[in-house]
């Protein structure tokens, strides 16, 4: 782990892998540095914002260095949210062909076990989900779409995700959902936040 100050009130922990990020984030959630205000994971980093009147960058870095080693694969516990999906995406057949699975097998793999929110980004409410069936690791579309409808459920690399609003996008779209991913009036506004597990289910 490498650590960097990020302005006067934040420390950035740079890690080797997404698994290290998940493990470090889980440890920090369980034992946050005194005086910390926010923990923000990304693909290879965790940003810790802190109150400068209660702690310092040196103290936060010392806390990070003292975190115990932890296996991220054991962290899949806690809040689970079920999202009903209609598997009618325009790329469903392409995903089946790419993976060598039938479309029924793709659906079964996508709903077979919970995914975990690793981090957010791209758009408000968009969450990068990991931990699904490895057979569903597929590349992004060669030609991104200029418009992807809100509620579209997609795959890209090791991730699955749900578009919270209409936007351009290059993920392989396998279905749609009516779930609301971002509601500014809610506290917090994002339905899916780092550490939460997501169980996709075939809509009835």
């Amino acid at each position: 782990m490498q650590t960097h100050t990020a302005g006067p009130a934040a420390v950035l922990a740079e890690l080797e892998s997404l698994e290290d990020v998940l493990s470090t984030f889980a440890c920090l959630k369980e034992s946050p540095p005194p005086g910390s205000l926010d923990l923000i994971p990304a693909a290879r980093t965790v940003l810790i914002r802190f109150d400068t009147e209660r702690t310092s960058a040196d103290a936060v870095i010392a806390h990070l260095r003292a975190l115990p080693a932890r296996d991220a694969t054991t962290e899949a516990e806690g809040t689970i949210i079920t999202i009903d999906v209609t598997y009618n995406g325009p790329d469903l057949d392409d995903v089946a062909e790419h993976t060598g699975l039938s479309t029924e097998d793709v659906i079964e793999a996508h709903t077979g076990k919970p995914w975990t929110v690793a981090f957010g980004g791209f758009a408000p409410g968009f969450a990068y989900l990991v931990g699904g069936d490895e057979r569903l690791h597929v590349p992004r579309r060669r030609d991104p779409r200029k418009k992807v409808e809100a509620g579209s459920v997609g795959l890209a690399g090791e991730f699955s995700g749900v578009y919270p609003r209409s936007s351009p996008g290059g993920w392989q779209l396998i279905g749609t959902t009516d779930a609301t991913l971002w509601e500014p009036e809610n506290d917090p506004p994002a339905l899916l936040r780092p550490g939460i597990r997501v169980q996709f289910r075939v809509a009835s």
Side-chain angles (χ1 to χ4, degrees):
M1 176 195 307
Q2 296 187 19
T3 56
H4 314 273
T5 55
V11 167
L12 185 72
E14 187 175 357
L15 299 144
E16 293 291 329
S17 66
L18 179 56
E19 288 73 23
D20 289 344
V21 170
L22 295 174
S23 175
T24 299
F25 179 70
C27 288
L28 288 170
K29 280 184 63 180
E30 187 174 289
S31 178
S36 62
L37 300 174
D38 203 4
L39 307 171
I40 306 171
R44 293 291 183 273
T45 61
V46 179
L47 182 74
I48 301 101
R49 293 181 52 246
F50 59 85
D51 183 346
T52 57
E53 295 186 358
R54 297 174 55 199
T55 190
S56 66
D58 288 343
V60 171
I61 291 172
H63 187 93
L64 278 165
R65 299 284 185 200
L67 290 176
R70 196 165 182 169
D71 182 357
T73 61
T74 66
E75 305 302 334
E77 299 178 353
T79 303
I80 184 165
I81 292 175
T82 299
I83 293 180
D84 290 330
V85 177
T86 300
Y87 286 90
N88 58 356
D91 300 321
L92 182 58
D93 288 341
D94 289 344
V95 169
E97 182 177 354
H98 184 87
T99 58
L101 301 171
S102 66
T103 55
E104 291 77 13
D105 288 340
V106 170
I107 296 168
E108 184 175 342
H110 196 245
T111 58
K113 63 179 182 178
W115 298 68
T116 300
V117 179
F119 56 94
F122 171 59
F126 189 90
Y128 290 80
L129 310 178
V130 297
D133 194 309
E134 292 184 356
R135 294 176 297 170
L136 297 182
H137 293 187
V138 293
R140 294 167 60 91
R141 283 175 52 84
R142 184 173 301 174
D143 300 313
R145 292 184 170 89
K146 294 181 179 178
K147 183 179 181 181
V148 175
E149 297 295 338
S152 296
V153 178
L155 297 166
E158 66 191 291
F159 302 107
S160 186
V162 181
Y163 284 77
R165 64 183 185 188
S166 177
S167 68
W171 289 38
Q172 306 276 3
L173 306 181
I174 60 173
T176 56
T177 179
D178 293 330
T180 300
L181 277 295
W182 178 258
E183 180 51 68
E185 302 303 320
N186 291 347
D187 183 21
L191 176 66
L192 306 181
R193 302 176 299 281
I196 285 177
R197 291 187 298 159
V198 176
Q199 176 66 63
F200 291 110
R201 182 175 63 185
V202 178
S204 57

